[in-house]
Amino acid sequence: LDLLKFTNDEKDKLNNKTIYLGLDYIQENQIKIEDKLFKAYYGSNPPKRLFYDVTSSYVTGDYDDSELVAYGYNRDKKKGTQQIVIGLLTDENGHAISIHTYPGNTNDISTFTDQLDKLKNRFNLDSITIVGDGGMIKSEDIIKVKKLGYDYITSIGKPSIQKLIDNKDSQIQLSLFDEDLQEVIENDTRYIVRQNPIRRDEIRQTRESKIARLKEFIDMKVEYHNTHYRAKQETVEKHINKKISDLKLSKFISYKITHKDGEIVIKNKDGNEEFKTKALITIEIATNEKVKKEIEQLDGCYVVTTSLTDTTKHTKEDIHQAYKTLIKVENAFKMLKTEFLEIRPLYLKTDKRIKGHVALSMLAYNITLKLKSYIHPF
């Protein structure tokens, strides 16, 4: 076509139509494209481990007819915006294997079964270790993983760690948590335990910073109450209780209010100043040091769990490093969402094209990753 024959508006329409047709094609053939690329990339030597994580990407505009765009847990911290959910599967080098677009209200955990089905039925993998975040791989998923003959590497949260410590039959105790990696094998599960001293100090510093912010907030509320005649104590308490809850300090922080009559200056109806008596308040913070120290015991502590119990084939350092490699999936999301590939913002109004746009972004990410390896080979 000789584009010189078209006006600028006609060129834009033609370009948009070409883009839309391309996105439609990619969406319709995404599975074939991914399968073909997987075979071309790995051939008869499939990866031993794959890494999976989920993110969300917010959208703006009118998507009333969309089954994908919905309100859900927003990782972008964009309150009041709808979103889509994206699941990404990569290898240990960060190379993207497959991407899937889910409705914005999809729970992360519910996407994991799809990945298992994909590994078994599409990529025909008989043996694989899948690595996922602790919020992703739950006990019921572990059962599915084992039934397929696969292995897993994940982590557990602080409540589960505390439960293990409290269990008298478990070998996992607080004394095991050290800067050096330690391991315990119980009930066909291998636990790699560690306390990160840098992270421990960061958490404690953040906690002390929150307490300082709470004190400043209380001082501000007390000053306002004591200088405004109509200000009510119950309003002050309501605000302080919410602040303590928001800062997650309620387990070990409380406060006490005392009263003392005093005079404050107000303006009467004539605009003149006069003195009035009011019950002035003083608020003191109380810290339950015993509870606080109990909480601090697990600062910086984490536990990586795996079904790879053969210590001769897989060292604890290897498993620990594999879990840390999940950061490459997070880096992939960063490149897709906030760097120059920019999945968002979305201007596409059909679910088919949204899926095509996300799939195309994954292909562009792999090209970018390869180009970066040439620029920064080491």
Side-chain angles (χ1 to χ4, degrees), residues 178-294:
D178 188 67
E179 187 173 350
D180 296 325
L181 293 175
Q182 305 293 333
E183 65 179 343
V184 172
I185 299 176
E186 292 180 346
N187 302 321
D188 297 325
T189 301
R190 189 176 178 186
Y191 300 91
I192 313 295
V193 306
R194 182 175 183 258
Q195 184 180 55
N196 184 332
I198 297 174
R199 182 60 182 148
R200 176 198 62 204
D201 295 342
E202 287 176 348
I203 293 171
R204 291 179 182 176
Q205 186 177 355
T206 299
R207 187 179 291 117
E208 294 302 323
S209 174
K210 287 182 178 181
I211 294 173
R213 284 161 53 193
L214 175 64
K215 289 178 178 177
E216 290 177 3
F217 181 81
I218 289 175
D219 289 344
M220 179 185 68
K221 290 297 178 182
V222 168
E223 182 181 1
Y224 182 88
H225 177 274
N226 290 346
T227 55
H228 291 73
Y229 183 72
R230 295 185 181 278
K232 297 179 179 179
Q233 179 180 319
E234 51 263 36
T235 303
V236 176
E237 293 183 55
K238 179 181 176 182
H239 289 166
I240 292 175
N241 290 337
K242 184 178 184 304
K243 191 69 173 179
I244 291 174
S245 176
D246 290 345
L247 293 173
K248 295 179 171 50
L249 299 173
S250 55
K251 288 184 178 179
F252 61 91
I253 289 289
S254 59
Y255 61 92
K256 181 181 178 182
I257 301 179
T258 56
H259 306 82
K260 182 180 179 181
D261 286 344
E263 291 186 333
I264 63 174
V265 179
I266 67 168
K267 287 187 177 181
N268 57 28
K269 293 180 180 179
D270 299 326
N272 299 319
E273 292 184 347
E274 64 177 75
F275 290 95
K276 276 204 170 186
T277 301
K278 181 180 180 179
L280 306 182
I281 63 172
T282 302
I283 299 180
E284 293 182 1
I285 286 181
T287 303
N288 188 324
E289 294 294 343
K290 181 181 178 182
V291 174
K292 185 183 176 188
K293 285 183 178 180
E294 288 175 355

Side-chain angles (χ1 to χ4, degrees), residues 51-262:
F51 302 77
Y52 180 68
D53 206 353
V54 169
T55 190
S56 60
S57 186
Y58 71 90
V59 301
T60 57
D62 180 14
Y63 288 90
D64 290 340
D65 296 329
S66 174
E67 294 181 2
L68 282 178
V69 176
Y71 290 103
Y73 172 63
N74 197 307
R75 297 166 185 77
D76 298 321
K77 308 301 179 185
K78 291 287 184 179
K79 292 183 178 179
T81 59
Q82 292 179 296
Q83 64 180 18
I84 56 174
V85 168
I86 301 167
L88 182 65
L89 199 63
T90 76
D91 65 13
E92 61 183 356
N93 296 314
H95 180 268
I97 304 298
S98 178
I99 199 165
H100 194 102
T101 309
Y102 295 95
N105 56 4
T106 304
N107 185 289
D108 293 0
I109 302 170
S110 63
T111 70
F112 186 73
T113 301
D114 290 344
Q115 308 310 311
L116 295 178
D117 179 70
K118 186 183 300 180
L119 298 179
K120 193 69 176 179
N121 299 317
R122 278 183 49 194
F123 298 142
N124 299 314
L125 298 176
D126 294 323
S127 177
I128 191 76
T129 297
I130 186 162
V131 186
D133 187 72
M136 189 71 58
I137 305 178
K138 298 298 184 182
S139 55
E140 55 270 25
D141 297 311
I142 289 174
I143 295 171
K144 296 174 185 176
V145 169
K146 289 182 176 181
K147 281 184 177 180
L148 290 172
Y150 295 164
D151 288 294
Y152 69 89
I153 298 174
T154 186
S155 66
I156 58 175
K158 282 191 176 181
S160 296
I161 296 174
Q162 189 63 59
K163 189 175 180 180
L164 284 171
I165 293 171
D166 294 338
N167 184 355
K168 295 179 180 179
D169 296 327
S170 174
Q171 301 175 53
I172 298 176
Q173 300 300 321
L174 274 172
S175 57
L176 278 179
F177 289 89
D178 188 67
E179 187 173 350
D180 296 325
L181 293 175
Q182 305 293 333
E183 65 179 343
V184 172
I185 299 176
E186 292 180 346
N187 302 321
D188 297 325
T189 301
R190 189 176 178 186
Y191 300 91
I192 313 295
V193 306
R194 182 175 183 258
Q195 184 180 55
N196 184 332
I198 297 174
R199 182 60 182 148
R200 176 198 62 204
D201 295 342
E202 287 176 348
I203 293 171
R204 291 179 182 176
Q205 186 177 355
T206 299
R207 187 179 291 117
E208 294 302 323
S209 174
K210 287 182 178 181
I211 294 173
R213 284 161 53 193
L214 175 64
K215 289 178 178 177
E216 290 177 3
F217 181 81
I218 289 175
D219 289 344
M220 179 185 68
K221 290 297 178 182
V222 168
E223 182 181 1
Y224 182 88
H225 177 274
N226 290 346
T227 55
H228 291 73
Y229 183 72
R230 295 185 181 278
K232 297 179 179 179
Q233 179 180 319
E234 51 263 36
T235 303
V236 176
E237 293 183 55
K238 179 181 176 182
H239 289 166
I240 292 175
N241 290 337
K242 184 178 184 304
K243 191 69 173 179
I244 291 174
S245 176
D246 290 345
L247 293 173
K248 295 179 171 50
L249 299 173
S250 55
K251 288 184 178 179
F252 61 91
I253 289 289
S254 59
Y255 61 92
K256 181 181 178 182
I257 301 179
T258 56
H259 306 82
K260 182 180 179 181
D261 286 344

Side-chain angles (χ1 to χ4, degrees), residues 308-364:
L308 298 169
T309 56
D310 190 338
T311 58
T312 61
K313 292 182 179 179
H314 310 277
T315 66
K316 56 181 181 291
E317 290 79 12
D318 179 45
I319 292 170
H320 180 256
Q321 183 56 46
Y323 184 75
K324 289 177 66 178
T325 302
L326 269 174
I327 189 67
K328 293 189 178 181
V329 189
E330 295 178 19
N331 291 338
F333 285 140
K334 182 180 178 182
M335 189 184 295
L336 284 167
K337 291 169 59 176
T338 61
E339 295 185 4
F340 52 88
L341 293 180
E342 294 183 350
I343 280 181
R344 64 188 187 213
L346 284 173
Y347 298 106
L348 303 157
K349 296 301 180 182
T350 70
D351 288 352
K352 185 176 183 178
R353 287 170 182 167
I354 290 173
K355 289 180 179 180
H357 172 63
V358 172
L360 178 61
S361 297
M362 185 202 79
L363 299 176

